[in-house]
Amino acid sequence: MSPLVKQLEEAALQLPSTDRADLALSLLRSLEARSSQEHERLWVEEAQHRWQEIEGSEVETRHFDEVLAEIRATLP
């Protein structure tokens, strides 16, 4: 850990817990930042992967109405 990062960590640990949580969330979001093109590419890859699983009978598919009825049956 560089001296600057250590100094930032020590300062951050002095913050109130809500401020530390906000800072942590901001830092995590900065690691996840992707362009809209990257998001689209990842969703296309995921959709293709799921379609291959369906076509290859690797996953069980169910009708939406059946799943919805099952969910409703579990609600109070």
Side-chain angles (χ1 to χ4, degrees), residues 58-75:
E58 297 173 38
V59 295
E60 174 190 349
T61 59
R62 295 169 56 197
H63 194 276
F64 173 76
D65 292 334
E66 175 188 340
V67 174
L68 186 59
E70 188 176 306
I71 292 169
R72 285 186 174 149
T74 65
L75 298 175

Side-chain angles (χ1 to χ4, degrees), residues 4-57:
L4 175 59
V5 173
K6 185 67 178 162
Q7 183 181 1
L8 290 170
E9 177 188 31
E10 289 171 5
L13 290 173
Q14 300 304 311
L15 296 170
S17 61
T18 55
D19 289 343
R20 288 195 320 270
D22 290 342
L23 177 59
L25 184 58
S26 177
L27 290 171
L28 287 172
R29 284 183 178 154
S30 75
L31 295 173
E32 297 173 349
R34 292 188 172 105
S35 69
S36 60
Q37 292 85 8
E38 179 70 4
H39 279 288
E40 184 175 342
R41 183 187 67 76
L42 291 170
W43 275 114
V44 168
E45 285 180 11
E46 182 63 23
Q48 289 171 338
H49 173 72
R50 290 180 185 196
W51 181 249
Q52 288 171 351
E53 287 181 332
I54 291 169
E55 286 290 298
S57 299

